[in-house]
Structure formats: C-alpha cells, structure tokens
Amino acid sequence: MSVDVRLRGGDLATADTNAVALPLLPGKETPVVGSGRETAAALGVDLDAVLMRESAKAEAGEVLRIPLYSGAVRAIYLVGVGDASPRSLRKAGAGLARRAKDEAVVAIAIRSDRADAGLSALVEGLVLASYRFRAAGAEPKGWQTERFELVTEAPKERQPVLDRTLAVVRAGLRARDLTNTPSLLKSPQWLAEQATAIAAGGGLGIRVRDEKALVAEGFGGILAVGMGSTRPPRLIELTWTPRGAKRHVVLVGKGITFDSGGLSLKPNDGMVSMKTDMAGGAAVMAAMGAVRDLGVRVKVTGLVPAAENLPSGTAQRPGDVITHYGGRTSEVLNTDAEGRLVLADALAYATARLRPDVVVDLATLTGAASLGLGRRHAALYATTDALAAELTEAADRAGERVWRMPLAEDYAFALRSRVADLANIATDKRVSGGSIVAALFLSEFVDGCPWAHLDIAGPARSDGDEDEVTKGATGFGARLLLRWLEKMG
Ligand code: BES
Ligand code: MN
Ligand code: ZN
C-alpha cells in the first residue's frame, strides 16, 4: 500500500505526530516561515534564530531538519517552496518525503490560501517520492512513512481535491508496480489477469483475446511479435461505459512484456531494462482503473496488445511479411521494431470497429525519442492542434512533460516496401528521425480519426531518484491521461 495522506484541522502536533513540517518562503535576507511558527515555539524552537544561523535559501525542494531531543515530536522540517507554483510545491513535497522517510507520521502545515493546484502538486510530490517497489511477497526494507497529515483551517472544503488527486496519483503508482514487475512473472497472460483485477475493482468491462481469438480475427501483428515466446500474446480490452456518454475515447498502450529485440537481438545493455516495454500499456490499464473514482463522463476503451518479443525456432524472421488487423501488410525488416507492429493491429481495430471520436496511444517506441528530448519529456504527435493543446495542458496539470513533434509527411517515403504496404523501419538511410518515422508508421493505421501518439521511451523509466520520480518505472502517462479525461464530456 502507498503512503496515507489525510486532511485535518486542529493543532499541528498531536499525540501521534512524529515530525512536523513547515513551509519556508524566500525572504529579503533570510527565508520566512509560511505558517506554523507558534508550533515551533511551543516545541521550544526559535525559528528566527535557526534561520539566522542556517544558510537556507527556501529553494523548492530544499529541506532543513531541526532535530528535537525531547518529547514525542522528533524533528521539525523546514521545507523550501520557492515561488510556490505547482511545480515548486511538487518538488517540495518530494523533497520532504525523501528527507522524512524515517518518520512514521508527518504533520504538514498547509496555508489555507493555497490554490487547489498547489495542494494537488504537493500531494503528488509526497506520494510519488515515497514509492518503493516491492516484489510480491518481499518484506519492506527499512523505515517508511505511514502517513502525511495536511493540517489546515478548512479541511472539509479541500477533501474533494485531495480525493481526486489521490485517485490520479495512485494510478501512477499502479503503473509503476506493473512496469517494475520482472518479466519472469509478467507474461502477456499475467498482464491480462492484472487487467481483469483492475476491471473488477474499477467497474469496467473486460474482454481478453487469447491467441486463438487473435488468429480468428486476423491480428497478425500481435501474433507475429508474440510467436517467438512460449507464453502466447493477448489483446486486453477494458471498457468504461458511463450513462449518457456523448463521446468515445480509445486509449492504446504498448504491452511488450519483454523486448529482447527478437531475432534482431538487442545487446545485453539495451535489453536489461526491457521488462519496462509495457509501460504504455501499464499507464492505460492504471488510468482505466481510476476513471470511475474520477467520475469520467465519456466512454473510454483501453486496448493493450500484449506480447513477449523473444528469439526462438518459432520467432518471426527479418524479411517476413505479416498481415495486420484489417488487411494491411508490413515487411518486418527488423524484429526489434516490434512495438509498431502490435500497435498497428490495435489502432486498426480501434478505428475500424470501435467508432472512436479520438484515439491516443502511449508507447515506449523508440530510443530515438529520448535522444532528442531527454529523459523527462515524452514526444507528442497529434493530427490536430486542438488535441495537442489539450494533452499538453493535461500533462502540465499532471506534472508530466510532453513536447510536440511533427508528423513530417516528407519522411514517409522511407517506409516504402517493394513487397508489402509498409516496411517496419526506414529503408532509406537519408532519413533519420527514428521517433518521427515510427509515428508515421502508426499514422497509416488510424484511418483519419483524430489521433495522438506519445513516444514515452524517455520518461517511462528513470536511472535514479529525482523529485517525484523514482528509479525504475515512473508510471509516466497515467496521470496525464486522467487529467485529460476528467475534463471531457
Ligand atoms: N522498446 C524499444 C524502444 C526503447 C529503447 C525503449 C530504449 C526504451 C529504451 C523498441 O521496441 C525498439 O527496440 N526500437 C528500436 C527501433 C529501431 C529498430 C528502428 C530502437 O529504438 O532502436
Ligand atoms: Mn524493440
Ligand atoms: Zn520495444
């Protein structure tokens, strides 16, 4: 379970408070304490004297620990909030969670004049930075905070904002858990079982197509990618059907439960992190699990084509020609460009059968995406400016970063094949832009439907703890999708 967050009134320090945290704002000469100075005085600490001696700047995320050597409260944390923008408060929450990780119950003074976005961001920082992955059955390592108490004058008024934020943030944590799970356990069938549990817990419909159903309906891309593994592929379809819905959104997430590259084998260094190649699918599944809690008013279908990309005597070969759902063919020149093959089936199915108003896919699609944009921004492609703007705004509210890239038709010629409708990689060396080329490949399967694609190969994983991000899976996309869906309808 994740750390608990509660709103309450009353005194900052109560009988079971182990630590108190006070906001610190930049001042003219020394920083100033935003609230709770009476509490500090009652605990015997002269904050003005402390701030004179310490060289705190009150930068966002900076945390000063003042240890107390008597009484139940073990420490006061002064937490820099910088300009107090949502971004700064998210950093501040993360900084506090890391620094106070050994305190069981931390009471935080919240200024009642803070906007809702600030409260949400603070909670995001607190909860996301407190995350630790525990493999099934493993014991927790070391201390861990059990609860943050947000102490404010009007706790009841702020409860709805906290509830919605926790629903969003916990979806992010669920996406991290799914993505961090080792592939020894995480087969396509396992992922489908997780989806079944999510459906049961979230009021969703579910249909899982097994390999026989995939053959019967012609999902040739999913089958081709999955046929090298003894653990067969699945297509997961989750549905949220609220009464009176006027629009239908389809979310598609790449669900490669392990990407070895297939016969176009990756070197070991490139392979070790590839249990995370279903991060897009995890974001979609986790977001679907929270739509009821958020009262999403539009119909939403979540599709996750799940397959394990392995080399073997039954694997697809470079040079094979495969037939996608709906009849288009691909020449598989590189079996490591497998994400687009499974997504092509799912996108073709979505647009041909589900009659969506808009389709959004998320995929750890290309290493090239992070070459250009680094490891915190997703590459966003969209067929309309309005959709790009909506998703960018939702990402901003969620504290996730996206940057729009062009669906540059000029490069599409590079995907021409002599033997199939499309080649799965660029056949012309003059064209680079690997993330764009992959997006162009996908665009052939959306049949003119408004569509956006997020290449999350960069931000889906982190090599270290930083702000709200923790090492390993980041859960990227789940929060963004939910912040987008909650505004629709
Ligand atoms: N899953 C990888 C993309 C990836 C790479 C994600 C590194 C995260 C980190 C994808 O299936 C892949 O292998 N893409 C190839 C495409 C190439 C063969 C055209 C790539 O990026 O090298
Ligand atoms: Mn690959
Ligand atoms: Zn992949």
Side-chain angles (χ1 to χ4, degrees):
M1 238 340 260
S2 69
V3 65
D4 192 10
V5 182
R6 290 183 200 167
L7 272 165
R8 65 166 175 82
D11 291 340
L12 194 52
T14 63
D16 56 358
T17 306
N18 300 103
V20 301
L22 313 177
L24 202 58
L25 300 135
K28 277 208 190 75
E29 271 155 39
T30 57
V32 291
V33 177
S35 65
R37 54 177 45 249
E38 321 71 42
T39 306
L43 292 167
V45 175
D46 178 351
L47 286 179
D48 295 318
V50 170
L51 290 170
M52 288 294 279
R53 289 198 169 184
E54 298 282 347
S55 55
K57 291 205 205 72
E59 276 169 9
E62 181 188 350
V63 179
L64 192 63
R65 183 177 196 268
I66 307 168
L68 304 178
Y69 297 105
S70 65
V73 177
R74 293 159 26 110
I76 297 174
Y77 291 85
L78 298 181
V79 184
V81 298
D83 62 3
S85 63
R87 177 178 281 218
S88 292
L89 289 166
R90 195 174 292 114
K91 258 182 181 300
L96 174 60
R98 290 228 160 77
R99 201 57 201 286
K101 69 177 175 30
D102 296 343
E103 319 283 7
V105 178
V106 183
I108 307 173
I110 301 292
R111 290 169 41 149
S112 42
D113 58 344
R114 278 266 190 276
D116 288 347
L119 178 66
S120 291
L122 176 72
V123 172
E124 284 162 6
L126 290 169
V127 179
L128 291 167
S130 298
Y131 172 83
R132 287 184 219 179
F133 176 64
R134 260 180 234 124
E139 286 294 314
K141 277 192 202 138
W143 290 84
Q144 196 166 357
T145 306
E146 287 163 22
R147 185 162 79 240
F148 292 107
E149 296 184 344
L150 310 177
V151 184
T152 177
E153 276 156 32
K156 285 220 171 64
E157 285 170 24
R158 322 223 53 192
Q159 193 63 44
V161 172
L162 176 61
D163 290 343
R164 295 183 75 80
T165 301
L166 287 175
V168 171
V169 167
R170 287 189 178 139
L173 301 183
R174 178 178 248 165
R176 286 184 185 179
D177 273 343
L178 289 167
T179 307
N180 279 327
T181 298
S183 300
L184 177 62
L185 179 63
K186 185 170 56 188
S187 62
Q189 174 57 23
W190 182 89
L191 202 62
E193 284 160 15
Q194 303 307 302
T196 304
I198 287 171
L204 309 173
I206 182 161
R207 171 161 182 205
V208 176
R209 286 177 173 82
D210 65 9
E211 67 276 25
K212 289 200 197 83
L214 294 171
V215 171
E217 295 183 60
F219 288 92
I222 301 172
L223 287 161
V225 172
M227 74 191 198
S229 173
T230 55
R231 305 192 290 183
R234 299 284 181 262
L235 175 60
I236 299 162
E237 180 168 351
L238 291 162
T239 48
W240 167 243
T241 320
R243 234 176 261 268
K246 290 191 190 71
R247 300 184 73 193
H248 184 191
V249 176
V250 176
L251 308 175
V252 180
K254 172 175 171 180
I256 299 299
T257 58
F258 185 72
D259 182 13
S260 70
L263 285 173
S264 312
L265 198 64
K266 288 182 185 294
N268 190 65
D269 281 356
M271 210 189 290
V272 277
S273 63
M274 284 300 139
K275 69 174 185 184
T276 65
D277 209 21
M278 38 57 74
V284 168
M285 286 168 56
M288 292 300 297
V291 292
R292 181 179 61 187
D293 287 347
L294 284 176
V296 169
R297 296 179 297 264
V298 292
K299 177 173 178 175
V300 190
T301 301
L303 291 174
V304 180
E308 186 172 44
N309 188 22
L310 291 181
S312 79
T314 59
Q316 68 170 335
R317 291 148 287 255
D320 282 354
V321 174
I322 63 173
T323 305
H324 293 285
Y325 185 92
R328 263 171 209 262
T329 56
S330 286
E331 183 184 10
V332 182
L333 294 174
N334 188 322
T335 65
D336 197 12
E338 85 297 339
R340 60 197 78 181
L341 300 178
V342 302
L343 291 169
D345 279 15
L347 292 171
Y349 166 73
T351 49
R353 294 278 300 280
L354 303 178
R355 306 202 157 276
D357 296 292
V358 51
V359 178
V360 177
D361 80 75
L362 286 83
T364 47
L365 205 59
T366 67
S370 61
L371 286 183
L373 293 174
R375 293 289 299 277
R376 291 296 288 267
H377 289 75
L380 164 66
Y381 299 84
T383 56
T384 75
D385 292 346
L387 182 55
E390 278 175 28
L391 288 168
T392 303
E393 188 272 336
D396 190 52
R397 270 188 293 123
E400 297 185 317
R401 282 162 233 182
V402 302
W403 194 259
R404 191 169 181 192
M405 299 272 284
L407 281 165
E409 283 298 334
D410 325 52
Y411 305 160
F413 74 91
L415 290 168
R416 278 188 213 143
S417 164
R418 297 168 67 92
V419 296
D421 294 325
L422 285 167
N424 82 325
I425 57 166
T427 51
D428 192 307
K429 291 269 167 352
R430 290 169 301 175
V431 171
S432 54
S435 177
I436 298 175
V437 170
L440 289 171
F441 180 92
L442 299 181
S443 73
E444 296 286 334
F445 296 87
V446 296
D447 195 25
C449 180
W451 164 70
H453 158 61
L454 284 158
D455 190 336
I456 62 169
R461 277 175 312 120
S462 173
D463 290 332
D465 294 336
E466 196 202 344
D467 297 335
E468 73 279 11
V469 161
T470 50
K471 187 173 157 84
T474 60
F476 188 96
R479 292 184 284 139
L480 174 169
L481 288 174
L482 288 167
R483 291 302 188 189
W484 179 56
L485 291 172
E486 74 176 356
K487 292 263 162 162
M488 294 186 81

